[in-house]
Amino acid sequence: MHDDRSANRMWGGRFAGGPDAIMEAINASIGFDRRLAAEDIAGSRAHAAMLGATGIISDSDSRAIREGLLTVLSEIERGDFAFSTALEDIHMNVEARLAALIGPVAGRLHTARSRNDQVATDFRLWVRGQCDAVDGALVALMRAFLAQAEAGADMVMPGFTHLQVAQPVTWGHHMLAYVEMLARDRGRFRDARARMNESPLGAAALAGTSFPIDREMTARELGFDRPMANSIDAVSDRDFALEFLSAAAICATHLSRFAEELVIWSSAQFRFVRLSDRFSTGSSIMPQKRNPDAAELVRAKTGRIAGALVALLTVMKGLPLAYSKDMQEDKEPVFDAADTLMLALAAMEGMVRDLRPDPAALRQAAAAGFSTATDLADWLVRALGLPFREAHHVTGALVRLAEEKGCDLADLSLEEMRSVHPGIQPQVYDVLGVDNSVASRASYGGTAPDQVRRQIARWKEALG
């Protein structure tokens, strides 16, 4: 038998008022869209200035509205503003306070405007600002990786495929790989910013307005390149938020990949690097342990950012044009993803700047696992003219011989090598050391220290 009293208890005290309380709670967005206060007031001030300039409202009313809005903004910034859930959103909260300050004149502000184009404008302004903030954080992280690359341009380490030792590379080359990734992230955020920099303001509810507004003026005032050309698209589009989240998810994935490497490299089994005490913690019961907590949390927070992208894609996928209340769900995932990404970037910059590689451990690992086998095969092709497939076969036989003897390739005698292929010359030893290996990879984009230094110089000039 159904127990209504139990159901009522499940609503809890917050919803003791029944359906009215539930509707207020589900409908209100002020709990999160208060973050748009500065953007909302900037948009309203631009709109009021335009209404005055076009004669839609009087100059005195326009001036009173704009000055009143500055007072509201100062109250919000000081923490003196009383937000009301009953007023639903940031727009109505600001307008209600404006009315209390300047009287009925405040009601003229919403002439030739809807909350639909208002929120679209506010949100674009906010996301645009986040693109700029992320760009600065990315540059700081790129510089941290460049500092590591410069310090370790000659430092030999193992290069991996399948997490198996593949070929020797330099520490500097590995660090520069992340500089390249982060540069693409910058490009994505900049591309998104350029596309989103159009003004929805003046689209009104969805069809435009019959008032003689000047959309070029408000767009210019708010730093947009132009007004959006279709009023339906202006209020229904959230591509700008999706692009931001997409760029954020890819960027977070890059951070997560390096975080994973830090977790592996700082383990007792690798000991490639030491993490700063500022970004690792001790175990509660095992005094010998240092846990890479900051790296692990960056790795985990990537899931939140990717989840935000999926959440907003799911919100938008079935919405007919133009505006639906579903779109109120656009802000929380974007706010959370932006906060999370900025924190992850700051944490990663700190970890990279404090990171201390162990050159001896890196060199030892670079020499393990017959990492110069490819250099030997390449030498057989260059020096003896063997087809690469035959050179690959000869090298494989030499690796097996070294394994049987429990030594590295460079430790095999010339006679032992010639037992596999009689044409091998003493010059073969010139390519077998890890230093010789990395120095030989001098093709553009290769791991040779000279190439690494050229790339470092290029990036330092590019970043200024």
Side-chain angles (χ1 to χ4, degrees):
M1 179 177 176
H2 181 68
D3 186 347
D4 287 336
R5 289 173 301 174
S6 174
N8 286 335
R9 283 196 298 273
M10 287 175 66
W11 284 1
R14 183 179 176 197
F15 301 134
D20 289 346
I22 294 172
M23 186 56 191
E24 180 178 293
I26 198 171
N27 195 50
S29 59
I30 189 60
F32 50 86
D33 70 13
R34 66 178 63 187
R35 291 186 69 163
L36 300 176
E39 289 77 14
D40 189 70
I41 289 171
S44 290
R45 293 189 78 244
H47 185 66
M50 180 275 295
L51 292 176
T54 55
I56 296 172
I57 66 174
S58 69
D59 285 339
S60 59
D61 285 350
S62 172
R63 188 164 49 254
I65 289 169
R66 283 179 284 139
E67 290 174 358
L69 286 168
L70 285 179
T71 301
V72 176
L73 180 60
S74 67
E75 289 177 354
I76 292 172
E77 290 176 341
R78 289 198 310 268
D80 294 338
F81 191 93
F83 292 98
S84 168
T85 304
L87 291 171
E88 293 185 15
D89 55 34
I90 187 61
H91 324 300
M92 298 305 293
N93 270 262
V94 169
E95 190 170 323
R97 179 57 182 152
L98 181 65
L101 288 169
I102 68 171
V105 169
R108 299 190 186 280
L109 171 60
H110 212 52
T111 307
R113 187 177 72 171
S114 163
R115 277 193 288 180
N116 292 355
D117 63 336
Q118 188 177 359
V119 71
T121 303
D122 294 356
F123 200 23
R124 274 179 188 260
L125 289 171
W126 192 91
V127 176
R128 188 181 72 183
Q130 286 301 299
C131 287
D132 294 339
V134 169
D135 187 78
L138 284 168
V139 169
L141 181 53
M142 290 171 72
R143 286 185 172 133
F145 274 112
L146 278 173
Q148 283 287 349
E150 194 163 25
D154 295 290
M155 192 185 302
V156 178
M157 67 173 287
F160 294 93
T161 60
H162 310 278
L163 202 57
Q164 306 293 315
V165 173
Q167 295 175 337
V169 296
T170 52
W171 175 264
H173 195 52
H174 197 106
M175 295 299 104
L176 285 173
Y178 285 97
V179 174
E180 296 287 339
M181 291 183 213
L182 295 170
R184 291 194 296 275
D185 290 325
R186 284 190 78 197
R188 274 182 280 271
F189 282 109
R190 288 183 165 193
D191 288 348
R193 190 196 193 284
R195 257 186 300 279
M196 74 178 66
N197 205 35
E198 296 182 338
S199 175
L201 194 57
L206 78 160
T209 177
S210 58
F211 289 96
I213 60 173
D214 184 347
R215 294 191 63 206
E216 295 283 354
M217 177 181 173
T218 51
R220 192 166 52 247
E221 182 72 18
L222 294 169
F224 289 115
D225 294 328
R226 64 192 70 85
M228 294 183 74
N230 184 285
S231 60
I232 294 175
D233 182 49
V235 298
S236 64
D237 169 59
R238 292 298 182 270
D239 287 1
F240 65 94
L242 288 168
E243 282 200 66
F244 174 82
L245 289 176
S246 178
I250 296 170
C251 179
T253 300
H254 292 154
L255 301 184
S256 185
R257 294 186 75 177
F258 191 62
E260 171 70 3
E261 292 196 313
L262 291 180
V263 171
I264 293 170
W265 291 352
S266 62
S267 68
Q269 289 73 27
F270 277 73
R271 297 189 186 279
F272 284 1
V273 300
R274 178 174 176 81
L275 295 176
S276 159
D277 288 347
R278 297 194 300 173
F279 294 99
S280 56
T281 64
S283 165
S284 61
I285 62 170
M286 294 170 281
Q288 83 282 8
K289 287 179 83 262
R290 296 300 301 173
N291 298 323
D293 284 9
E296 291 170 350
L297 287 166
V298 167
R299 185 175 61 183
K301 287 179 184 298
T302 300
R304 284 176 69 160
I305 297 171
L309 171 60
V310 173
L312 186 53
L313 284 167
T314 306
V315 167
M316 297 301 298
K317 71 174 183 64
L319 298 187
L321 300 179
Y323 181 84
S324 299
K325 190 70 169 179
D326 311 51
M327 291 164 71
Q328 182 170 290
E329 292 297 309
D330 59 358
K331 293 166 204 66
E332 287 181 286
V334 174
F335 291 159
D336 185 75
D339 291 345
T340 301
L341 181 61
M342 288 297 289
L343 179 59
L345 286 166
M348 187 57 78
E349 183 198 350
M351 283 188 282
V352 173
R353 289 202 179 280
D354 286 2
L355 191 62
R356 294 295 175 265
D358 184 329
L362 289 168
R363 173 174 285 275
Q364 182 179 1
F370 305 104
S371 65
T372 58
T374 307
D375 298 278
L376 175 56
D378 289 347
W379 182 87
L380 291 169
V381 171
R382 289 195 312 271
L384 304 187
L386 298 185
F388 184 79
R389 288 303 174 198
E390 183 181 347
H392 188 282
H393 176 76
V394 170
T395 301
L398 289 168
V399 166
R400 285 192 298 275
L401 179 60
E403 283 179 328
E404 291 168 4
K405 291 180 62 63
C407 67
D408 196 18
L409 286 169
D411 299 320
L412 291 173
S413 68
L414 185 59
E415 290 70 27
E416 287 168 331
M417 288 193 181
R418 284 174 170 171
S419 70
V420 174
H421 192 285
I424 294 176
Q425 303 298 317
Q427 292 81 2
V428 71
Y429 293 101
D430 293 340
V431 304
L432 292 181
V434 291
D435 292 298
N436 293 330
S437 174
V438 296
S440 72
R441 308 289 177 189
S443 57
Y444 179 80
T447 193
D450 286 347
Q451 279 293 327
V452 169
R453 289 192 179 91
R454 288 192 187 98
Q455 294 296 335
I456 291 168
R458 177 176 72 88
W459 276 116
K460 287 173 78 170
E461 182 179 357
L463 294 177

